[in-house]
Amino acid sequence: ACLVDDGVVYVNGERRVIENADPKMTTLAYLRSIGLTGTKNGCSEGGCSACCVVVRRVKTDGKTVECLSVNSCLTPICALDSSWITTVE
């Protein structure tokens, strides 16, 4: 589940509050639910990378920001709480 009842992500620079997030909801499903359709679902297994988004987040040391390529079809949106997500849009 999300670490808090309402999660927060930044999608393409816009702050988004995720209210009552379903812990099973993928990042791809969340992006579709807010009207972003540029990120595609190819194989639903993480093998084709059609669903890749860039995620930036602060590492556990609290000082360093890491950039990751994430398969949005596999990654729960709750796992990205407090992250910045950049899509193809």
Side-chain angles (χ1 to χ4, degrees), residues 7-85:
V8 174
V9 292
Y10 297 84
V11 179
N12 297 332
E14 184 177 332
R15 184 177 190 270
R16 301 269 184 168
V17 176
I18 307 167
E19 297 178 357
N20 302 316
D22 176 356
K24 297 179 206 164
M25 178 181 266
T26 65
T27 301
L28 179 62
Y30 175 73
L31 294 172
R32 295 296 173 115
S33 76
I34 62 171
L36 299 177
T37 59
T39 303
K40 303 301 181 195
N41 185 18
C43 67
S44 297
E45 296 178 355
C48 72
S49 299
C51 66
C52 276
V53 295
V54 175
V55 173
R56 291 180 294 145
R57 62 182 175 194
V58 178
K59 292 177 81 170
T60 54
D61 65 10
K63 300 176 184 177
T64 313
V65 174
E66 63 182 346
C67 292
L68 308 165
S69 174
V70 172
N71 289 323
S72 65
C73 71
L74 298 177
T75 307
I77 190 62
C78 289
L80 301 181
D81 187 32
S82 302
S83 297
W84 295 268
I85 302 168

